[in-house]
Amino acid sequence: MFSLRQLNNHVFMPSSILQNTIIRRYAAQITSIHAITSLKTSPTTKQHTVEEGNKRKQLLERPGLFAIKQGMITWFTAKGEQIPATVLEIDSCEVIDHKTSKEHGYDANVIGTIDKLKNYPRPHELKMFEEAGVSPKHKFGEFRVRDSSNLLPLGTELKASYFAVGQLVDIKGITKGKGFAGVMKRWNFKGGRATHGVSKAHRTPGAMGGNQNPGRVLPGKKMPGRMGTSNMTDFNKEVLHVDGDAGILILKGCIPGPNKGIVRVSDALKLYGKSLNQLARE
């Protein structure tokens, strides 16, 4: 905003008077509340860090174990009901190492199964078994837990009695390999017609690309390919029978993987799993 301040009482302002006129500019000087320099804010928390990810992750209070699938049987209840069931064998399942949050960013128990007393293929891992006081294992892996208080002592043996009859468990395994399969077997396609001029195209997927629109095969299209041999998790499988001395665990229903395959058995995550953020709110 500009204003003229006259130095005399003349009504008209000739050039001689304009020379003695001072032009000033007045600007608003209201201080914004967002411009307070003395207020310091704390930096935002990076949500993609390992520590923040551990707080959001659904974790169990205790680790699981490895089991060997031995096949399926028929289970009869006290009422005479006939139920399909799967027999699992627990063979020398022991704690061999720990993963701590200070060193690795998370807490986990390393558990091995099936003793391998000779011709161990990885000599650099023998020191780990020696420190735990156990024999070398054919198979071992990590089972994450909530915090360091849930780490089991080295050398602890986990038996089938680790689980209780009636509780629910989760089974993680690798499904059976089916080899190269077509779309009818792999994706349950209906297939083509058996008559009316169909020639050698009864089990083919049919048109999939198009000439001009879209003019290509879209990503994710269900096509023939290798079927099976993929990771799978079965949730909330009921425990029907437990024999700790014999190492036998019987579950209701079927589980992924072939006979003699190794699966991971743990408490039901949807029922017993909680995150650190959820525990803090409680």
Side-chain angles (χ1 to χ4, degrees), residues 87-128:
V87 179
L88 300 179
E89 179 186 359
I90 313 298
D91 183 11
S92 303
C93 202
E94 298 172 324
V95 180
I96 60 177
D97 199 3
H98 292 152
K99 294 294 181 68
T100 59
S101 57
K102 294 182 179 180
E103 185 177 358
H104 302 89
Y106 60 94
D107 297 300
N109 292 273
V110 182
I111 297 178
T113 185
I114 307 176
D115 294 334
K116 189 173 181 60
L117 303 179
K118 61 179 181 179
N119 299 331
Y120 192 77
R122 299 176 292 274
H124 64 279
E125 296 174 350
L126 295 177
K127 184 178 179 181
M128 176 179 61

Side-chain angles (χ1 to χ4, degrees), residues 178-199:
K178 304 293 184 179
F180 193 94
V183 291
M184 293 186 66
K185 180 178 179 180
R186 192 183 186 196
W187 302 112
N188 297 321
F189 277 25
K190 181 180 178 181
R193 301 179 67 177
T195 57
H196 294 282
V198 178
S199 176

Side-chain angles (χ1 to χ4, degrees), residues 206-276:
M208 65 177 62
N211 186 10
Q212 290 190 356
N213 187 14
R216 62 190 179 93
V217 179
L218 297 177
K221 174 65 178 178
K222 295 180 178 179
M223 301 178 69
R226 183 170 295 178
M227 181 180 177
T229 320
S230 58
N231 293 320
M232 180 181 176
T233 302
D234 259 358
F235 296 97
N236 301 336
K237 309 296 289 188
E238 182 182 352
V239 178
L240 298 177
H241 177 72
V242 170
D243 191 343
D245 297 332
I248 298 299
L249 183 68
I250 300 179
L251 305 179
K252 181 179 180 180
C254 58
I255 65 172
N259 293 341
K260 306 298 181 180
I262 299 177
V263 296
R264 298 166 63 101
V265 187
S266 59
D267 296 332
L269 184 64
K270 296 181 180 179
L271 183 61
Y272 307 108
K274 290 184 180 180
S275 63
L276 296 179

Side-chain angles (χ1 to χ4, degrees), residues 25-81:
R25 180 176 181 178
Y26 299 94
Q29 298 182 358
I30 302 176
T31 303
S32 174
I33 61 175
H34 302 289
I36 302 177
T37 57
S38 61
L39 182 61
K40 296 182 179 180
T41 59
S42 59
T44 58
T45 303
K46 294 183 178 180
Q47 300 296 331
H48 59 273
T49 59
V50 178
E51 293 77 8
E52 292 298 324
N54 290 336
K55 295 180 181 179
R56 298 190 300 266
K57 189 175 181 63
Q58 295 284 334
L59 296 174
L60 295 170
E61 188 175 359
R62 62 177 194 167
L65 49 79
F66 289 101
I68 307 171
K69 180 179 177 180
Q70 295 295 344
M72 297 191 65
I73 62 173
T74 300
W75 184 264
F76 291 92
T77 64
K79 298 180 180 180
E81 298 175 346

Side-chain angles (χ1 to χ4, degrees), residues 150-171:
N150 303 125
L151 297 178
L152 300 178
L154 295 179
T156 303
E157 184 179 2
L158 304 179
K159 299 183 178 180
S161 55
Y162 188 68
F163 301 103
V165 176
Q167 82 163 96
L168 302 180
V169 296
D170 292 342
I171 307 295

